[in-house]
Amino acid sequence: MIGDWSRSALGKVRALGAARSPRGRSAPVTYTLITLCCVLFLLSPAAGLNPAYGTGEELLAAQRAYFRRWGVIPAELFEGSPGSALTPATALFVHGSWVHLLGNMLFLYVFGAMTEERMGRLQFALFYLGCGYLALLGYAGANAHSQQSLVGASGAISAILGAFLFLFPRARVTSLLPFLLFLPLRFPAWLVLPFWAGLQWMAAGRAGDGPGVAYLAHLVGFGLGFAFAWVRFGRTTRVKSVPVAAPEGENQP
């Protein structure tokens, strides 16, 4: 299974503004993650740009081999192989298509910068990797017999959304929703992100085994992110409002 938010229920969402930290500081970990994911994708057969991987069936075979090597295969994960145990980490940097990559990186860019500043660079990096690993592990545990490859940063980025909800509950999120004639509307994070999580829950209940969207990994990541922020920052003052525009909804991570 290739983790992908592109077919989710809110439809297409366009960013109207990029999130920045309240004090305008940089977010080096966020930008490094985005750069790394993009570079690895461009070098991989998934991008379809490297002639060394061939075309047609040859390219498709190279893509399948690439996903199986670096992605999570639930049926193989719990066999005790050291290589398989690393795949929930390597899969965070593998994406299945241009839409998958760009959607994930958009959400990482928008929500990651503010979350990184609030947590600090090292803590944010460990949070991203740890929650992403556990989100994919949770999906694999629930689909232990699946032979489909699971790739993508969606679980880790879902964790960022969960943490963002706790840390910035009143931050305004701006989006264009197709069922509202693409009018730009602004909603607080406390309304938007729980609604998104509810959609993931409903979609996870209908999802079957096979290629598609790893909704369960989104839910696990979102829950882990919110729980971490609650435990780590629950006794500190949360940022209640942020004067920035950010895309809501969920056309990917």
Side-chain angles (χ1 to χ4, degrees), residues 173-194:
V173 172
T174 305
S175 65
L176 301 177
L177 300 179
F179 54 83
L180 293 178
L181 303 179
F182 294 99
L183 296 175
L185 300 175
R186 291 166 61 82
F187 302 97
W190 64 262
L191 179 63
V192 170
L193 296 179

Side-chain angles (χ1 to χ4, degrees), residues 5-202:
W5 298 26
S6 61
R7 284 169 282 178
S8 56
L10 280 183
K12 294 184 178 180
V13 180
R14 293 292 184 268
L16 298 182
R20 293 287 190 274
S21 74
R23 293 180 293 279
R25 296 178 183 174
S26 63
V29 175
T30 297
Y31 302 146
T32 298
L33 288 169
I34 292 172
T35 301
L36 183 59
C37 287
C38 290
V39 170
L40 291 176
F41 179 79
L42 291 174
L43 295 175
S44 76
L49 299 177
N50 191 338
Y53 293 112
T55 59
E57 290 298 324
E58 186 179 6
L59 177 60
L60 291 176
Q63 291 174 346
R64 287 192 293 267
Y66 176 70
F67 296 143
R68 290 192 66 84
R69 179 177 181 182
W70 301 110
V72 178
I73 302 176
E76 299 178 3
L77 181 60
F78 302 107
E79 294 180 350
S81 168
S84 295
L86 291 175
T87 56
T90 60
L92 295 176
F93 301 94
V94 178
H95 290 84
S97 68
W98 285 93
V99 172
H100 189 197
L101 172 74
L102 295 177
N104 273 350
M105 295 305 99
L106 170 64
F107 271 71
L108 178 54
Y109 175 72
V110 168
F111 292 99
M114 291 170 59
T115 306
E116 178 182 343
E117 182 182 356
R118 188 74 172 87
M119 290 185 177
R121 297 174 184 177
L122 178 60
Q123 185 171 218
F124 177 78
L126 295 176
F127 163 82
Y128 181 91
L129 295 173
C131 289
Y133 186 101
L134 291 174
L136 295 181
L137 189 66
Y139 175 88
N143 298 272
H145 301 294
S146 175
Q147 292 286 343
Q148 297 293 334
S149 299
L150 176 67
V151 300
S154 299
I157 298 172
S158 296
I160 291 176
L161 298 185
F164 189 95
L165 172 61
F166 183 84
L167 297 172
F168 308 99
R170 297 187 183 178
R172 289 288 174 170
V173 172
T174 305
S175 65
L176 301 177
L177 300 179
F179 54 83
L180 293 178
L181 303 179
F182 294 99
L183 296 175
L185 300 175
R186 291 166 61 82
F187 302 97
W190 64 262
L191 179 63
V192 170
L193 296 179
F195 178 62
W196 172 85
L199 290 176
Q200 303 304 295
W201 177 272
M202 291 187 293

